[in-house]
Amino acid sequence: MGSGEQPAIDLRHVWKVFGPGDSARTIELSKGGSSRAEILQQTKQTVAVRDVSFSVAQGETFVVMGLSGSGKSTLIRCLSRLIEPTQGQISLSGDDLLAMDEDQLRQLRRGRMSMVFQHFGLFPHRKVIDNIAYGLEVQKIDKSTRVARATEILNTVGLDGWADHYPQQLSGGMQQRVGLARALAVDPQILLFDEPFSALDPLIRKEMQDELTRLQKTMQRTIVFITHDFAEALRLGDRIAIMKDGSFDQIGTPEEIVSAPATPYVREFVNDVPRAKVLSVKSVTVAGQSTTNSRTVAASAKIETIIPMLLERDEPITVLDANNQAIGVVNRASVANILQAEQK
Amino acid sequence: MKRRLSGLFVLIILAQTLGTRGFPDSLNIGLAEPITNLQSWVRKNRNDHWMFEFILNPFISVVNFGLDSVESVFTWLPWFVPAIIVFAVVARTRRWGVATFAALAVVYPGLVGVWSESIVTISLMAVAVFICVLIGVPLGVLAALKPRVEVALRPILDGMQTVPATVYLIPIVLFFGIGPAPAAIATVIYALPPMVRLTALGIQQVPKSAVEAAQMFGATKRQILAKVQLPLAVPSIITGINQTVMMALGIVVIATLVGAGGLGQEINQTVRRLEPGRGLVVSLAVVAVALVLDRVSMSLVSTPGAQRVRVKRNTLYMSLIGLALAAVVGRLLGWVEFPFSWGTSFADPIDTGFKWFRTTFNVITRPFNDFIVREILVRAQTLFNETITWQAVVAAAAAFAFYVAGWKMSLFTACGVTFIGLTGRWLDAVDTLTQTIVAVFISILIALPIGIWLGRRPRIEAIIAPVLDAFQTIPSLVYAIPFVMIFSVGPVPGIVAAVVYAIPPGIRLTSLGIRQVNNESVEAAITFGATQRQILWGVRIKLAMPSIILAINQMVMMVLAMAIISGMVGGGGLGYRSIEALTGPDSGLGVEVGLAIVIMATILDRLLQATARRMQAPVAV
Ligand SMILES: Nc1ncnc2c1ncn2[C@@H]1O[C@H](COP(=O)(O)OP(=O)(O)OP(=O)(O)O)[C@@H](O)[C@H]1O
Ligand SMILES: [Mg+2]
């Protein structure tokens, strides 16, 4: 197993080309600047993932956001080796994923990595408890141990009392809790989520996002999370990648992306985002100034938290960094400026 | 396209003027000879060649042993024990009415006095279905997991269902002889395809996400198969068993030709003795057996979480012991056979009724019979044999195939039709084809209007549908019995029976097509002020046309399947030849007939499917 300083997940120039034929030539075409549609016409092949590189640190939540068909599922399936990438390197804490044989891969999946699926991927013929215990059963762990472990996880995700039901007797949100519990039961270091909440109603989705945030606070897993919902990406991601036509347009923290979208495509998503909810006070701080009144705010707080204060009294507020040192002030003008940009 | 079509038309005219009338015997390629030689070789070596001594004969003994064991168990059991077991198994699903009905169906054969015949048939079913499961499930799994196996299996499975049963009975008789075991083997071959198909389907239908999830937890291929794919395929597999049972029951009558005995033999005799009443009563016993096996197997399919009667383990043991005691006591008291038989009291009035019908309506049935035979069948035969040249027939068939399905199908059709001639069965094929066309034509006239009418009356259809479906479980010979009574032996009872046999699925498919027409299209037509009539012809029927063509296709296949039965009641044609070949036994003739029927069925099937596809609205790519 790799050392702590190595990223938990590291992808270098990963490509995936679907369709029969000479994929190397297709990759050359794509590198030469041909679009996906042109390549599909010429070669009948689809470039689903196009030269993607990124790394995820231990305990980080990395969100990949993109619209339908952008290649997100393909990417995460390469990462779990449900499909083989056409080209590129993937390493997990320094171990070469693509060099693993079937047996090593199985070992990896049995303990280090697990996945939550968009349409839950539950086993309809097994009770909730047996669904959750599946990963342990595959590892031939004895029955009493795995039932105990599964019951514990069941309670963690808030499904106490549902153990003996079948998946289709549960609501969508509860089914996905089972999916989540099943993935957690094997105690994996890496969790992969392929649009886990897309099939749920907005309210339930919000609830599940909060649940995941809550769990992640205590468990600190390395998470790769796929979504087509930009708001969800902003809410969950430590860092976000915006994917379009198989490649990444931009990688950055939510704040970096919202304050400086790299391409017009990314800007389109950013435009709909209420900045006050994403940007921190730090981004509107006027450095070097100071004020005499006693109102202070942390630099990492979101802008929305200071709007009531500024409305209450039009006086600057002192901004404090993590060490409680004053680094400047915010006032109505600086906040108004950044919110104004949203209108354009 | 137009130019090519007119070219083909010219070709037909040319073929007609230059060709030969009928199919000359000199062109017979002598397909039969090597097969007849093989037959005599088998005859000579049946007792001492190693293949028989060490492989086929021991195999027969094993099957015979299975048949005997099942049969002796059922014969030993007092009649009420199976009824109780069936009731208990079905009642677990809490459907008490169905359970009672199934139990009564178990009793029925005893009630009409064919208890022991039923046991023979059930034993044959049990052994045949068991072998089907033994072979079919692994094959199905293989086909689902290995695309290559599927590609190899598909044409074989398709072929197995179009070859008339009498034809592949021939090699079975040749290699295995006559008796219950060969009959069981024949039944296995006939009933195997749905087992393989539905197992494969069940495995393929397992949600991909479930398999991927299992993979992601590091399950091995074997673990995935055993813990995910197979359990999820169980409902489909049981449906497969169910279908297999139905198929197997479908040939109980034909299986008597190789010595199956049992209910089939009874039915066969009633035809010979012209006793439609008894035929009906015995046939209902076959239906009862089908019904019981169907209900029992369906009650075994569990939807996860479905409400079932829970039985404590102790209660279960106690009732099993109780049942065993009841069996022994029943045995000791001699309550083994059903205590009384009402068979004749049902059968006789029906027989009398038919006799009365026959004499009373002779004024109608006689002319009808004569009209069909003289004006249609005989004329059609003279037309094909003496007026049209065979080259023109080939050219016309090829032209039609070209029009609906392009040049590949056209080539296939031309070769196929010519080949039928080359085997020397041209006349028989023409005979069967004209009878088929007449029967299909009548079926269309009846089934389509009813189907179209029913399609818009879902409530009435909900009532009629189960009746129509039940018709399909009746052995096809049974359809012929009353009509033999009415029309006397000849092609007409076969045709009428085929019509009756083919109509139910025709109605079902047509009404399905009408019902599935997109409601929005109909509403759109209404908002444009279309009349009811315009909506029916311009929208509903138009959009349902592909389904209607498929309904016709289904009817053609059903009518062809009746060809043998038709041969049994004096219809002539390929059906009659196949029986001749079997009773001969004349394997050479059998192969000729088999090929001719398969080619004919394949061509008709493909052409009609292609026609249906042509009528489908183009789909955006
Ligand atoms: N097995 C496959 N064979 C051929 N092409 C495929 C295959 N799987 C995906 N593709 C193609 O690759 C592209 C990316 O598909 P992918 O499923 O990764 O998109 P996605 O971003 O997950 O979309 P969605 O939001 O709809 O799930 C699509 O154009 C798709 O048609
Ligand atoms: Mg996807």
Side-chain angles (χ1 to χ4, degrees), chain B residues 423-499:
Chain B
T423 60
R425 302 263 70 91
W426 184 262
L427 284 183
D428 296 321
V430 164
D431 219 2
T432 297
L433 186 66
T434 43
Q435 289 183 34
T436 304
I437 291 173
V438 171
V440 170
F441 187 72
I442 301 176
S443 307
I444 289 175
L445 284 186
I446 300 172
L448 295 199
I450 297 182
I452 290 167
W453 184 81
L454 264 189
R456 288 145 63 210
R457 288 163 187 80
R459 265 207 225 130
I460 303 182
E461 170 150 37
I463 300 169
I464 299 182
V467 181
L468 291 181
D469 293 346
F471 267 103
Q472 291 180 44
T473 57
I474 303 174
S476 34
L477 180 63
V478 175
Y479 288 93
I481 299 172
F483 302 112
V484 176
M485 272 298 283
I486 294 171
F487 294 105
S488 77
V489 175
V492 175
I495 289 176
V496 180
V499 168

Side-chain angles (χ1 to χ4, degrees), chain A residues 73 118 194-195:
Chain A
S73 292
Q118 176 170 4
D194 186 6
E195 300 201 34

Side-chain angles (χ1 to χ4, degrees), chain B residues 66-75 77 79 82-83 86 102 105-110 114-130 184 187 245 248-249 252 260-264 285-293 296:
Chain B
L67 286 171
D68 290 342
S69 325
V70 179
E71 213 175 304
S72 50
V73 167
F74 275 110
T75 315
L77 281 181
W79 60 270
V86 165
V106 175
V107 180
Y108 174 82
V114 286
W115 185 251
S116 57
E117 286 85 350
S118 297
I119 288 178
V120 173
T121 297
I122 287 184
S123 312
L124 194 126
M125 292 299 115
V127 171
V129 171
F130 180 73
T187 309
V245 170
L249 280 171
V252 281
L263 293 173
V286 176
V287 178
V289 171
L291 198 134
V292 169
L293 294 174
V296 168

Side-chain angles (χ1 to χ4, degrees), chain B residues 4 76 114 121 126 129 179 224 266 303 327 364 405 432 460 466 468 511 535 545 585:
Chain B
R4 287 198 205 152
W76 187 86
V114 286
T121 297
V129 171
I224 296 178
E266 277 298 304
T303 35
I364 303 172
T432 297
I460 303 182
L468 291 181
S511 77
I535 292 172
M545 214 51 202

